[in-house]
Amino acid sequence: MAAVAIHQFAECITCHAWSPDQSMIAFCPNNHEVHIYKFFTDKWEKLHVLSKMVSGIDWSKSSNKIVTVSHDRNSYVWTQEGSDWVPTLVILKLNRAALCVQWSPKENKFAVGSGAKSVCICYYEQENNWWISKVIRKKHESSVTSLAWHPNNIYLATSSTDGKCRVFSTFIKGVDTRGSKSSTSTDSKFGEQIAQLDLSSTWVFGVRWSPSGKTLAYAGHNSMIYFIDEVESSPVAQNLALRDLPLRDVLFVSERTLIGVGFDCNPMIFAADDTGLWTFIRFLDERKAAPSASKASQLSEALGKLYGQSKQGTSSDTVEPSKPRGGAHENCITCIVPLRKGSDGSIKRFSTSGLDGKIVVWDLENHVSIAK
């Protein structure tokens, strides 16, 4: 079993984030509060309760700042001063709820997705001592559900309930610096759309870049996951149809391995072979399947495969067999956060939280090869 720790903090958890040294965790128990817990010797103790309605949270690794967004259209940057956390209001200029937030790799700005069909790029203005935002408008046709920063700190990928995934330039003069002459990311203007991926006919969630930024992945509510290479120049897409329930979030643990989480309550492992073909490998927290080889189950699996292939049509799409469910989580997993990297740069430990109120820590370090 890859789950090394299971913590029941609440009845339901909306989102969570860890402190830089991973000794503290902040989460929203599906209400108007953010709870911060610290681990002492052998147990977790509640240290702070930040009273703000929260729909998204992220904790910067270098500056030790917490950013939260909420349905009241506001965002706050929380700074620790002594034993207290002091909030600073961020001007978002939104007329609908803020839904998700993420710090950029360099932590000099953060992005906020909203129900106003727009994305706010927020940065600190030293002269006036406040956080302000520039808004990318009139690009999305519906709510922005998730965000992912490219390693270059300029490109931002978004997923939306309009079924599209988009990539934008967020270059801000005075905040970002011009790169090398061979780099094209700093040549584009703020808000310029680099790519629009129209691969799904349903809501899409959980967009994420690979460590190198060469591959982009996101999940559809139609139990599909999409992998796109060379997004900036000539995108090459692969669609992978699943027999199981839809995913809500994804995480690249290495350049060729991805973990997906969602309504199956169990992390799913995907891997790419030497040719770049992605396939579903297995559930991470896998149970032994009950012996069942009846004709009915065989027919059901065959019909499922036929349905998946006929819906997608192309030979690049594949349909995977059903896998047994169950494990550490008992309800939908909504959030996955990386925790520790190994010497090879791959993620060896990550955490998940879900609607069952649990935060589970998963360790891949001593786990049998996940690609088997």
Side-chain angles (χ1 to χ4, degrees):
M1 186 175 178
V4 295
I6 303 175
H7 307 292
Q8 183 76 54
F9 286 110
E11 292 184 1
C12 179
I13 292 178
T14 306
C15 50
H16 76 282
W18 293 84
S19 65
D21 61 0
Q22 296 171 21
S23 64
M24 293 189 291
I25 188 169
F27 63 87
C28 174
N30 198 33
N31 59 17
H32 64 282
E33 298 176 339
V34 172
H35 293 184
I36 299 180
Y37 278 72
K38 184 177 177 65
F39 189 76
F40 292 98
T41 310
D42 59 347
K43 65 178 181 178
W44 290 91
E45 293 185 8
K46 186 190 296 184
L47 292 185
H48 306 281
V49 176
L50 314 181
S51 298
K52 298 293 180 184
M53 181 70 72
V54 172
S55 54
I57 187 171
D58 198 15
W59 201 326
S60 63
K61 299 297 181 288
S62 300
S63 58
N64 193 34
K65 295 180 184 293
I66 298 175
V67 59
T68 60
V69 295
S70 63
H71 293 164
D72 62 5
R73 301 170 293 171
N74 290 323
S75 174
Y76 291 88
V77 174
W78 301 79
T79 306
Q80 190 171 22
E81 297 182 1
S83 60
D84 298 323
W85 287 89
V86 180
T88 302
L89 179 66
V90 183
I91 304 172
L92 292 182
K93 309 172 187 175
L94 295 176
N95 59 6
R96 294 291 187 277
L99 302 177
C100 50
V101 64
Q102 190 176 82
W103 286 102
S104 68
K106 293 183 179 179
E107 299 179 7
N108 59 347
K109 53 188 178 180
F110 59 87
V112 177
S114 73
K117 308 177 185 180
S118 59
V119 177
C120 300
I121 309 300
C122 308
Y123 59 97
Y124 186 71
E125 195 173 70
Q126 191 73 37
E127 296 177 358
N128 296 312
N129 190 29
W130 62 3
W131 289 86
I132 61 174
S133 65
K134 296 186 70 173
V135 185
I136 301 176
R137 303 181 189 274
K138 300 180 180 180
K139 302 292 184 179
H140 299 87
E141 299 171 8
S142 191
S143 299
V144 178
T145 57
S146 61
L147 308 159
W149 286 96
H150 190 279
N152 65 16
N153 204 67
I154 303 295
Y155 289 160
L156 177 73
T158 67
S159 64
S160 173
T161 50
D162 62 10
K164 298 178 177 63
C165 177
R166 299 173 176 87
V167 179
F168 299 98
S169 170
T170 66
F171 183 85
I172 300 176
K173 186 178 180 180
V175 178
D176 299 300
T177 56
R178 296 287 179 184
S180 62
K181 293 183 179 179
S182 60
S183 174
T184 59
S185 60
T186 55
D187 295 335
S188 52
K189 298 179 180 179
F190 177 86
E192 180 179 340
Q193 185 170 289
I194 307 302
Q196 177 174 295
L197 306 168
D198 191 4
L199 302 177
S200 177
S201 59
T202 61
W203 295 1
V204 291
F205 301 95
V207 62
R208 198 76 67 125
W209 294 94
S210 65
S212 68
K214 294 181 179 179
T215 304
L216 181 68
Y218 65 96
H221 206 54
N222 54 351
S223 289
M224 295 280 291
I225 184 169
Y226 307 92
F227 298 92
I228 303 93
D229 295 322
E230 307 298 335
V231 175
E232 184 180 355
S233 53
S234 53
V236 178
Q238 180 189 348
N239 308 336
L240 181 61
L242 307 175
R243 275 291 308 277
D244 299 281
L245 299 178
L247 300 174
R248 282 298 308 270
D249 203 359
V250 298
L251 173 69
F252 278 94
V253 295
S254 68
E255 196 65 29
R256 292 188 175 184
T257 307
L258 176 138
I259 304 293
V261 296
F263 291 92
D264 268 301
C265 317
N266 198 338
M268 303 171 72
I269 304 170
F270 301 86
D273 59 20
D274 294 336
T275 65
L277 182 66
W278 287 87
T279 55
F280 168 65
I281 305 301
R282 62 181 175 85
F283 284 100
L284 182 58
D285 192 17
E286 194 165 19
R287 289 178 175 176
K288 292 183 179 180
S292 175
S294 66
K295 292 183 178 180
S297 62
Q298 293 176 1
L299 177 61
S300 175
E301 184 170 343
L303 288 175
K305 290 183 177 181
L306 176 63
Y307 173 76
Q309 290 171 348
S310 63
K311 286 287 285 184
Q312 304 307 320
T314 63
S315 60
S316 63
D317 299 346
T318 54
V319 180
E320 299 298 338
S322 180
K323 299 288 183 179
R325 300 173 194 159
H329 279 287
E330 299 172 354
N331 207 330
C332 175
I333 304 174
T334 57
C335 182
I336 180 170
V337 177
L339 292 180
R340 189 183 71 218
K341 292 184 178 180
S343 57
D344 58 352
S346 63
I347 294 173
K348 299 299 183 183
R349 179 171 288 197
F350 63 90
S351 64
T352 57
S353 62
L355 302 183
D356 56 0
K358 293 180 180 178
I359 293 178
V360 180
V361 178
W362 306 83
D363 193 356
L364 304 177
E365 186 74 48
N366 301 315
H367 202 256
V368 179
S369 177
I370 60 176
K372 292 183 181 179

